[in-house]
Amino acid sequence: MAVVFVLFLLIFLFEYSYLRSNKRKLRTHLIVYGIMLLSLAYNLAAAWLPKQLNPNLIIEAVLQK
Amino acid sequence: MKHISASQLVMLLTIYIYSENAGFLISPIIKTASYNAVLAVILGGVLGLLIVLAGAAVARMNEREYFAVFGKYIVGKWVHIPLILLLAGYMLHRASMSMRNVEDFLMVNHLPTTPETVIAILLGLTVALTVRSGIQAIARMAEVIFFVNLLLLIILTPLLLGIELQTPMLRAFVTNFDLNRTAAGTLQATPWFGDAFVVLFIYPHLKQQIKIRRVAVWGAVFSMILILSYLVPSLLAFGPELAGKMTYPVMEYVRSMRIADFIETLDPFLTILYIPALMLKISLLVYAAVISLARILSLHDYKPLAFSVSAAVVGYSVHFADNTAELLYFMTAYWPSYALCMQLIPILYWFVAKIRGKGAAHPKAP
Amino acid sequence: MFSLFRKPKANIGKAAKTAESTVQPAPGKELGQRLQWFQEKLDKCVDAVFRTFTGAGGRQYALVFLGGIADLELLQEDLINPLTSEDSGDKTAAGPAADFSRLLITSCNVSVDYAEVLQYVLEGAVLLIIDGEDRMICYPYARFEKRSIGEAQNEVVIRGSREAFVEEVRTNVTMLRRRIKSPELKIQSTYIGRHTRTEVLVIYMEGICRPELIEEVHHRLSKIEIDGVLESSYLEEFIEDHPYSPFPQIQNTERPDTAAAALLEGRIVIFTDGTPIALIAPVTFPVFFQSPEDYYQRSYASTWIRWIRVLFMFVSLLAPSFYIALTTYHPEMIPASLLFSIAAAREPVPFPALFEAFIMEIVFEGLREASIRIPSAIGQAVSILGTLVIGEAAVRAGIVSSPMVIIVSLTGISSFIVPSYSLGLTLRLIRFPIMILSGSFGLLGLSIGIYLVLLHLVVLSSFGVPYLAPIAPLKWKDIKDTVIRVPWRLMKNRPSVYGIEPTRRLKTILHNDGDDRD
């Protein structure tokens, strides 16, 4: 869990400095961080409940019908 | 923007199709098709090629724009966006599956004591950096890796032939025809080739004068030759029963090779040369997904998304399945139908565009 | 006659660019005041010489120059003697204009701008100020002490030219001119450095070199604003495409034949005054594995040697990593008997292989650096000591194992096989991250390391030319001079990677043996 946070902090710092140095619009910043948050949320959820939240289950459920 | 030449695309497609298939398709396909595996691969290749060509036909409707952008002119915004998300999700899922395959492969064979997460992070970092470097870098890497692999094949072939092969088994390829097994094997093999439909998503990067059909055919043919050159010998060496039970038959086959009792085994060496090809494949998948995402969010620069999306792929790959057996089961039982459904989505666009007539892929003139 | 008064554009245009030129308060008309202005400017400069004298017609003259640089004999004979001799007395009748024009020689500069004139004085010219005449004349009587043309020290060849560039650009230009006697050889001059005002020459072949490339080089050079340029590397770091990459993106050479060959391939050569190292741009990665001698020896031998270089490039980059990966993670790959002897040698060593390799590599790097910097008299002693310490005592003491000594010395030697010293440095540097990777992930780490280096190389470019050019993106026609070196008679076209149209290098194709028709 801690590893996930540290990695995402690194990614955030990296992308923040990249976006800053290229003088991007606020909208770009927001979208990038939004995607980053989604990814973080997914990673945390998967680490929390790897069994129940596996998207493969959806695929299997749909195909088994 | 237009900087991928025809030869680069052929090599990219070849690497893309063959890299993973040679490693991880062999076992499922031998399991399902046994002696008909060769036939199944060829049929699957042809069908996969059709899927790719359909994708290319859609891409050619609007050569200047990304599919993620012009798709909405064909089917309308509210149908297009969910479909694109679904496709992006498929590509990321596919990337995670490949990555999980690589992780398991490395865990089992080379790094038994290293935690899977660490390997996954290393691979994810590599993929993210590749995606960030752009499609031109991916295409050029493909060139280098293609030649290295070709050289390897030329050097290794005579060595591999030194292994005792049961050549009489060759007859069984013809005589042991079984329609059901061939069909099952073809179903198994088709999406592995059809995966090359990512061309649709990177089409604006290709040089204008590319003859996409010819390129796709060459890519499929080259990769088929490469795959068969691994599949046939390992089938002949182990027979369908044993090879079907093995997780990595090609690996076992290479392992049984010895060079004049000097070098004990060559398989770690092959891994060195094989891993980059796989990284490239995963990178292309992630690139296609990232660029589509960036386009529907109307971001001009996809680069800041590379690390986040790769992180999701890494996380998914770690939690993809509990163990290799489960992964293999998912790959054999569920994945082909899922993949086929996704790969046929572009055909839907194609039909709609045909019905709506010329100019469907372009924005309406105001 | 008036054409002599016209300012020589190339020089004066640049000299007038100095920031001070607009803000100079103009001194008075008097000769003494004018001289005073120069004396104030060159205050506390012991080498500045100010001299006034009276000419033959009673006219006052003043001279300003830097002692030690100006050629005094020439000054006396060509300037002071004619001006003071009595028998040239009838010039007053013709008026001051004629008098002035008599003083001009072919390569002198005439100006009324004080700042500009001061710059010429600092460049070594002798300034003549004439009483009652606004225009001032600068005579190029500078005579710098310079090194004579020596033998190429760092790019040694067995067969081929011996001479090397010197510090003085004009001499270097003559060396190129002697090799390429064509009007297409164009040489353009510019001055860089606020204080040093270093002369930089951009040289190219018109008609072969891509015009956009020349423009781009000029554009990038013109953007440099620095107080001093002491070596061509100052320029190199400013004009390369990716300043933060460890890889050299501009070739450097001290050999005139290499520079001439580059010009004929449509590349640009940049000379910097004060250094014998010329820059060549653009460059591709394979060029760093070529030596001028490749083109002077038989093609088979050259091809073979190129392969050897590439092989040892890999050895230099990967040998320690490979050893670490094999001994730590994949002992099954090593033949049993060898494995036993390695294990026996490693038995007394308390460190893991990665750590052992790191110690050895860093010690080796230190020794190498020391052997370059240490005064030559002591150098030999140190190198003997170093070898003894590393080779024998360390192994006996059980600090390192002997296979590691072999690996490290092999690596050290092979890093010198790459003909380009700057690339060799880079390879030595990126060896360490790959060592760490393979120390933690075995051959996977090694593989990922190579992959990342390759990825970086693929992204790099030099003046828009892809760094791995004839290989990725692939250009079949240029392979003839990269992976192999085909005989000269088959190098019909110039390489196309530098962006030029495939122009013919050979005019007619010789049909001596009848099978090389195209």
Side-chain angles (χ1 to χ4, degrees), chain C residues 323 327 338-339 341-347 349 356 360 395 400-410:
Chain C
Y323 176 79
T327 50
L338 185 60
L339 186 63
S341 68
I342 290 179
R346 280 191 48 75
E347 217 243 306
V349 180
E356 193 188 345
M360 285 294 285
V395 173
V400 290
S401 60
S402 38
M404 186 56 90
V405 175
I406 299 172
I407 294 286
V408 169
S409 30
L410 188 66

Side-chain angles (χ1 to χ4, degrees), chain C residues 57 83 184 258 276 443 485:
Chain C
L83 281 173
E184 310 297 334
T258 308
L443 284 179
R485 203 282 279 172

Side-chain angles (χ1 to χ4, degrees), chain A residues 3 7-8 11 14-15 18-19 24 27-28 31-32 35-36 39 42-43 46-47 50-51 54-56 59-60 63-64, chain B residues 93 121 132 293 297-299 301 303-309 311-312 314-316 319-322 326 330 334 337-338:
Chain A
V3 179
L7 282 177
F8 270 90
I11 294 175
F14 181 76
E15 298 301 2
Y18 173 78
L19 290 172
R24 290 297 155 82
R27 184 178 165 277
T28 316
I31 291 176
V32 170
I35 299 272
M36 209 178 284
S39 173
Y42 169 72
N43 269 299
K51 274 272 181 216
N54 194 338
N56 288 353
I59 297 168
E60 286 171 23
L63 288 177
Q64 262 164 357
Chain B
H93 176 266
I121 290 173
R132 230 171 186 288
L293 268 181
L297 294 168
S298 59
L299 276 187
D301 189 1
K303 281 181 183 175
L305 299 181
F307 272 102
S308 315
V309 174
V314 169
Y316 198 1
H319 302 293
F320 200 93
D322 274 352
E326 203 177 291
F330 178 79
Y334 296 108
S337 8
Y338 165 58

Side-chain angles (χ1 to χ4, degrees), chain B residues 78-94:
Chain B
W78 299 113
V79 184
H80 176 64
I81 287 178
L83 283 181
I84 277 289
L85 286 178
L86 217 57
L87 282 173
Y90 165 71
M91 285 185 283
L92 293 180
H93 176 266
R94 182 77 186 83

Side-chain angles (χ1 to χ4, degrees), chain B residues 3-85:
Chain B
H3 35 227
I4 299 184
S5 65
S7 64
Q8 278 178 332
L9 190 62
V10 170
M11 293 181 206
L12 184 59
L13 283 181
T14 310
I15 293 283
Y16 178 85
I17 300 173
Y18 123 87
S19 61
E20 202 187 357
N21 298 9
F24 308 123
L25 169 69
I26 308 284
S27 169
I29 204 156
I30 291 179
K31 204 180 287 171
T32 40
S34 99
Y35 283 115
N36 300 314
V38 178
L39 192 61
V41 164
I42 294 172
L43 282 177
V46 173
L47 288 177
L49 190 62
L50 287 179
I51 291 175
V52 178
L53 290 180
V58 175
R60 271 157 49 127
M61 288 174 183
N62 189 338
E63 293 184 345
R64 290 173 192 288
E65 269 300 352
Y66 289 98
F67 174 63
V69 175
F70 77 77
K72 66 171 175 267
Y73 306 131
I74 301 178
V75 292
K77 200 175 175 186
W78 299 113
V79 184
H80 176 64
I81 287 178
L83 283 181
I84 277 289
L85 286 178

